[in-house]
Amino acid sequence: MNSAPHIPVLGREAVDHLAPRAGGIYVDATFGAGGYSRAILEVPGTRIIAIDRDRTAITGGAELVERSDGRLTLVEDCFSNLADICAAQGVDGVDGVVMDVGVSSMQLDQAGRGFSFRLDGPLDMRMGQTGPTAADVVARASEGDLADIIYLLGEERHSRRIARAIVADRQETPFTTTRALADLVGRVVRSKPGDIHPATRTFQALRIFVNEELEELQTALAAAERVLRPGGRLVVVSFHSLEDRIVKNFLGARSRTGGGSRHLPEVAQIAPSFQLLTRRPVVAGEDEVAHNPRARSAKLRAAERTTAPAHEDDEESSWPKLSDVMRGG
């Protein structure tokens, strides 16, 4: 074990809101370097089902599994499948689910994974081992789809200009490295000193799209709702506005009570399946931001499961789908 294990952003606050109790069963839905699992294991008798789609994280967690005396089960899978994973482990209800959404620092720091434009490497960006790479998307997506992806998922106002340049340049030479794509975006989007790198939003958009991160998050939240016992807690840490908006809307809809108007006939209300624990998101303090600039954008939201049945999951995405784009749909 490392002498100084990785501590996730807002790690202490996340575990405090999760409030693990002796003998409880918990899902660490985004294992990463194991920071949440380590903290939960400190509570006597807890059992953890930890999930990560990244094989590197699974391999790195082997020693913690060995030291857990059978209390930690590590599964290589997408966290959207957490309900099925729990069922496969013979668990029909859990006392808490914690998620740290998005790319990890470990992934960003590995040039071979292709997540960062600061390190030249293959244009991959996959968190798992399967599916199209970012290079595949850049090579096959239409100009319109590329523009939509970069605009909707990267919130990049120059998306059409970038997409047009990608389509023009790829006819001569395919984009296979992070540096080649970053250099193109840098030529197309002008920036001022002190601005973020021009390729930041484009890389964010492609990473989210390749890994279907927003669809994964929506599905995982609904799955957590189904597996949490009454009194169980859901804690989610997100790092940009698209993720936080999904979490905020999900918990808002699931915790809503009352409604309607005194001037209109009363409408039957769906009983809230969650009670909010955080009316406003918890954010990192100055000390944590000083030590880890990535913490500046982190937001934590938490809620407690009620006795009401899970709601129907009717949320539909408004962004392009990976399968459609890759087959030219």
Side-chain angles (χ1 to χ4, degrees), residues 76-119:
E76 182 181 347
D77 205 336
C78 295
F79 73 153
S80 59
N81 296 324
L82 69 88
D84 292 337
I85 292 168
C86 289
Q89 297 295 323
V91 174
D92 58 7
V94 303
D95 300 292
V97 177
V98 61
M99 307 175 183
D100 184 330
V101 185
V103 68
S104 72
S105 299
M106 296 181 299
Q107 291 166 332
L108 287 171
D109 291 341
Q110 296 174 9
R113 303 299 299 275
F115 286 103
S116 175
F117 50 79
R118 301 184 191 284
L119 303 169

Side-chain angles (χ1 to χ4, degrees), residues 1 24 26-29 31-41 45-51 57-58 60-75 89:
M1 299 294 291
Y26 298 89
V27 175
D28 181 350
F31 179 76
Y36 293 142
S37 289
R38 284 186 178 86
I40 297 168
L41 286 170
T46 48
R47 177 184 171 188
I48 305 168
I49 300 170
I51 306 165
I58 299 297
E63 187 174 350
L64 184 60
V65 172
E66 291 179 6
R67 294 180 56 193
S68 71
D69 297 324
R71 294 163 54 205
L72 172 62
T73 301
L74 195 50
V75 180
Q89 297 295 323

Side-chain angles (χ1 to χ4, degrees), residues 162-308:
I162 295 168
R164 190 180 310 120
I166 288 173
V167 170
D169 281 24
R170 75 186 183 188
Q171 295 178 12
E172 299 293 331
T173 306
F175 289 90
T176 58
T177 67
T178 55
R179 180 167 295 165
L181 182 59
D183 286 348
L184 175 135
V185 179
R187 293 197 306 268
V188 172
V189 180
R190 295 182 179 181
S191 61
K192 302 174 183 177
D195 287 352
I196 63 171
H197 191 286
T200 300
R201 295 186 177 92
T202 297
F203 270 64
Q204 171 187 294
L206 287 171
R207 188 206 82 219
I208 291 173
F209 185 71
V210 164
N211 295 289
E212 300 179 285
E213 292 178 37
L214 302 187
E215 294 94 334
E216 282 283 306
L217 177 57
Q218 285 182 330
T219 306
L221 292 170
E225 179 186 27
R226 296 195 300 273
V227 302
L228 280 166
R229 295 169 175 154
R233 293 188 168 190
L234 172 62
V235 180
V236 186
V237 177
S238 60
F239 289 87
H240 63 70
S241 60
L242 296 174
E243 298 166 341
D244 181 59
R245 194 177 307 146
I246 289 172
V247 179
K248 177 183 178 180
N249 290 344
F250 175 86
L251 293 179
R254 262 53 175 190
S255 62
R256 190 172 296 125
T257 58
S261 166
R262 61 192 177 94
H263 302 294
L264 297 173
E266 186 172 345
V267 178
Q269 296 290 322
I270 300 174
S273 57
F274 281 99
Q275 178 180 352
L276 293 181
L277 299 173
T278 52
R279 293 289 173 183
R280 295 174 179 269
V282 177
V283 297
E286 292 181 3
D287 288 346
E288 183 168 9
V289 171
H291 286 89
N292 182 2
R294 184 169 179 253
R296 182 177 292 107
S297 61
K299 292 183 178 180
L300 180 154
R301 296 185 187 272
E304 184 171 293
R305 191 70 170 83
T306 68
T307 57

